[in-house]
Amino acid sequence: MKTDVLVVGGGPTGITLGLLLARAGVRTLVIDKEADIYPLPRAAHIDHEIVRIFQELGIAESVMATSRRSSRYDFLTAGGEVLMRFEGMDRIGPGGWPAGNMIHQPSIEAALREGGRKLDTLDLRTGWTWTGCREDAAGTVSTVTTPDGETEILARYIVGADGARSPVRNAAGIEFDDLQFDEPWLVIDTIVHDPERLPKINLQICDPARPTTCVLMGEGRHRWEFMLKPGESAEQVLDDAFIAALLKPWNVDGAITLERKAVYRFNAKVATQWRKGRLLLAGDAAHQMPPFAGQGLCTGLRDAANLAWKLAAVLRGADDRLLDTYQQERDPHVRPIIAMAMMMGRTVCITDPAAAKARDEQMLAARGQPPAGGLGHQPFSAGCLVEGSAGAGSYFPQTLASEQKLDDELGTGPWLIARSKTLPSNSDVKIARTTTLGEFGAPLEAWLEKHDAEAVLVRPDRYVFGTGAPDALLRAWSDWIAPKSQPTIGP
Ligand SMILES: Cc1cc2nc3c(=O)[nH]c(=O)nc-3n(C[C@H](O)[C@H](O)[C@H](O)COP(=O)(O)OP(=O)(O)OC[C@H]3O[C@@H](n4cnc5c(N)ncnc54)[C@H](O)[C@@H]3O)c2cc1C
């Protein structure tokens, strides 16, 4: 079997990457060792940026139809005082969708897989297990175990989106940078029968007697997480009677039914190398974080958005140094997010009463203020950018006009948005003048004004390539993207 890109792992990262590649005309094979979508509780939150990616994939409306919003995310003492508060999660974020959205991960994965059915360029095979590969100058040859026996798959590139244990990462001999977080938690998802009896906002109960998380999920579901105490085993806490006792203080008997339960060890790790020759890593294979910031899946989908257009360009003949910008951009972006998740985790996971008292006193003195910058993310400082130009590497907002969204107006691929009267033409970049963009024009003008720029070139993943004069931006873009060799895409 032959394909342009083999994606190992059909979890959220792998299937999103597969969809983005296939929509860019890249023949993509996504394989997953499991017969079906992973059934245990995991992501409950996605941010505005992820819904914008889903918008491109045509599933945003269906995801939003069953997602819910919490206006606040409160970290409370055992007595209910506010240690730290994040607000505005229900307001529109820079991606043009609500900043925080509570979801049911298996439903989202099902919507993504369904989206793939319509694409001739995407092939998803389940029950296929990647076992290893060899690499030469032209491509890779993988061995895969299928229900019908062993087969070989030829691919130009392999992306390991194969989760935390990543066989692809292990085969490549890539190590982890262990950021030292390791806490065991029981996670339970419940079906809700009486929403009125459940909290309406997301909560971390920083009670040293039992650190506890209680968050919304997609419509009809609610999640609790309970930290295991020293000496407690997974078997013990997974017992239904034990779980009923943990839920007793919440007074939800009869309002919910247990749906899924699992014990996880929450870790924080980043792969030291995200690319080795023709092997790349994405999602949990490249990084892991405790779930307190609700960013693991989001980070994997940002990897997919960053990598998809670069792989497509390289397969069309762009210099493959473009792929080196993947880790260069993504690694420094993910580390502060992991640091935030660890800070939240370290706030919650205190079981020593004296240490909890000291934490409470210190944080109550700060009056619940979240860290400066809140949940915002840092721009890239180096990579496929016009380095030094205003706004380069930052996330380009999706402006809204009445019921319309900018991305629907301008479409996929790179954009050049300018306020200049005369504009160059370019068949590979969508060129738009602010004055011809109707209601979108004013906010785009304001963005350019703020950055003191005549034009901005926005990459397909909606990060800013650079600002400056339109001709210079197009030339700089072409230096990265224009084919330098024969395309290797297709049969
Ligand atoms: C309790 C909990 C709560 C979380 N909450 C959030 C949250 O609110 N928000 C958020 O953004 N993230 C959250 N996360 C993290 C999020 O769930 C993960 O980051 C996300 O699922 C990772 O997706 P992935 O596609 O990279 O990996 P996975 O989902 O692990 O997918 C990897 C896939 O690779 C397949 N695979 C593995 N080996 C092979 C092989 N040899 N051959 C073929 N296929 C293979 C597996 O079967 C699997 O389907 C949470 C996680 C946990 C545990």
Side-chain angles (χ1 to χ4, degrees):
M1 204 168 185
K2 211 171 162 191
T3 187
D4 295 325
V5 177
L6 170 65
V7 179
V8 182
T13 304
I15 195 72
T16 301
L17 177 63
L19 284 163
L20 290 168
L21 284 167
R23 290 165 72 95
V26 175
R27 277 183 319 157
T28 309
L29 172 62
V30 179
I31 61 168
D32 200 288
K33 66 181 169 59
E34 301 298 335
D36 213 336
I37 289 164
Y38 190 71
L40 292 180
R42 294 191 295 163
H45 164 269
I46 52 171
D47 64 31
H48 55 97
E49 202 174 329
I50 302 316
V51 187
R52 189 181 189 182
I53 295 171
F54 291 159
Q55 179 187 347
E56 177 172 348
L57 299 178
I59 64 160
E61 298 298 343
S62 66
V63 168
M64 290 306 284
T66 59
S67 76
R68 293 190 296 157
R69 270 140 296 281
S70 163
S71 59
R72 296 202 311 265
Y73 183 21
D74 281 354
F75 288 62
L76 305 178
T77 62
E81 290 169 289
V82 179
L83 290 175
M84 181 163 61
R85 170 169 287 172
F86 295 85
E87 291 184 286
M89 328 282 288
D90 54 346
R91 293 203 283 269
I92 297 294
W97 295 91
N101 305 281
M102 306 311 295
I103 50 102
H104 177 236
Q105 179 170 347
S107 304
I108 290 201
E109 291 190 42
L112 286 165
R113 287 189 179 193
E114 185 56 35
R117 280 188 215 284
K118 299 164 203 149
L119 295 168
D120 293 341
T121 37
L122 182 66
D123 191 0
L124 168 67
R125 301 292 176 109
T126 53
W128 285 35
T129 304
W130 187 89
T131 54
C133 73
R134 56 183 193 277
E135 196 181 325
D136 59 28
T140 64
V141 182
S142 289
T143 46
V144 172
T145 309
T146 79
D148 303 318
E150 193 149 288
T151 190
E152 284 195 336
I153 297 169
L154 278 63
R156 299 283 176 203
Y157 289 94
I158 298 174
V159 182
D162 46 352
R165 294 197 182 96
S166 182
V168 173
R169 187 188 63 235
N170 292 337
I174 297 173
E175 303 283 328
F176 264 135
D177 181 5
D178 190 336
L179 304 175
Q180 306 297 323
F181 193 97
D182 185 13
E183 299 291 354
W185 280 67
L186 164 70
V187 184
I188 61 167
D189 286 355
T190 64
I191 300 283
V192 176
H193 310 297
D194 185 356
E196 290 312 311
R197 289 176 54 198
L198 298 181
K200 304 281 180 291
I201 59 166
N202 292 338
L203 296 168
Q204 296 288 351
I205 312 299
C206 305
D207 180 356
R210 178 73 73 184
T212 301
T213 305
C214 174
V215 292
L216 281 63
M217 295 178 70
E219 198 173 72
R221 289 185 170 86
H222 216 91
R223 151 120 11 124
W224 276 266
E225 299 174 7
F226 300 97
M227 187 173 161
L228 270 63
K229 292 194 209 169
E232 282 175 343
S233 69
E235 194 188 14
Q236 185 184 356
V237 301
L238 285 166
D239 180 71
D240 283 354
F242 193 93
I243 292 173
L246 289 174
L247 286 171
K248 202 156 181 41
W250 294 87
N251 193 24
V252 287
D253 202 16
I256 53 161
T257 312
L258 190 60
E259 185 187 28
R260 308 160 199 269
K261 53 187 178 178
V263 169
Y264 286 101
R265 294 203 79 89
F266 296 158
N267 292 129
K269 296 177 179 180
V270 182
T272 51
Q273 248 182 302
W274 296 36
R275 175 187 183 196
K276 201 164 183 182
R278 291 178 176 274
L279 299 190
L280 296 121
L281 301 178
D284 276 17
H287 42 71
Q288 288 143 45
M289 67 189 77
F292 303 102
Q295 280 293 328
L297 179 151
C298 298
T299 303
L301 266 59
R302 283 190 198 96
D303 296 344
N306 186 294
L307 189 54
W309 64 271
K310 292 178 180 173
L311 269 173
V314 168
L315 286 161
R316 292 205 164 81
D319 192 320
D320 102 333
R321 75 189 164 111
L322 186 56
L323 294 178
D324 292 331
T325 67
Y326 168 57
Q327 178 176 6
Q328 194 183 12
E329 293 173 357
R330 294 292 311 134
D331 178 300
H333 193 265
V334 74
R335 283 179 190 265
I337 296 175
I338 296 179
M340 168 72 81
M342 287 171 63
M343 179 282 289
M344 290 175 168
R346 293 211 161 111
T347 301
V348 185
C349 298
I350 294 179
T351 49
D352 171 44
K357 187 165 176 283
R359 170 204 61 201
D360 292 355
E361 283 166 6
Q362 191 197 350
M363 292 185 77
L364 288 170
R367 295 170 167 272
Q369 286 302 310
L375 296 170
H377 302 150
Q378 292 176 12
F380 312 138
S381 55
C384 178
L385 311 170
V386 182
E387 287 175 25
S389 69
S394 63
Y395 184 63
F396 192 72
Q398 170 163 235
T399 48
L400 309 177
S402 306
E403 295 296 292
Q404 289 288 102
K405 289 187 156 58
L406 182 67
D407 295 12
D408 296 334
E409 173 79 15
L410 292 181
T412 54
W415 310 327
L416 181 98
I417 302 171
R419 29 185 190 175
S420 335
K421 284 210 175 66
T422 52
L423 287 175
S425 63
N426 185 297
S427 55
D428 299 325
V429 177
K430 167 97 186 176
I431 306 219
R433 195 182 316 145
T434 49
T435 48
T436 61
L437 284 172
E439 279 183 62
F440 295 113
L444 292 170
E445 280 277 346
W447 192 96
L448 290 168
E449 184 68 39
K450 183 175 159 205
H451 294 85
D452 193 18
E454 191 185 337
V456 55
L457 201 146
V458 182
R459 313 187 321 184
D461 57 7
R462 303 303 162 234
Y463 280 78
V464 174
F465 172 66
T467 50
D471 279 322
L473 285 173
L474 288 172
R475 267 197 311 277
W477 180 247
S478 175
D479 281 348
W480 279 101
I481 302 299
K484 306 277 188 303
S485 58
Q486 285 299 314
T488 52
I489 206 163

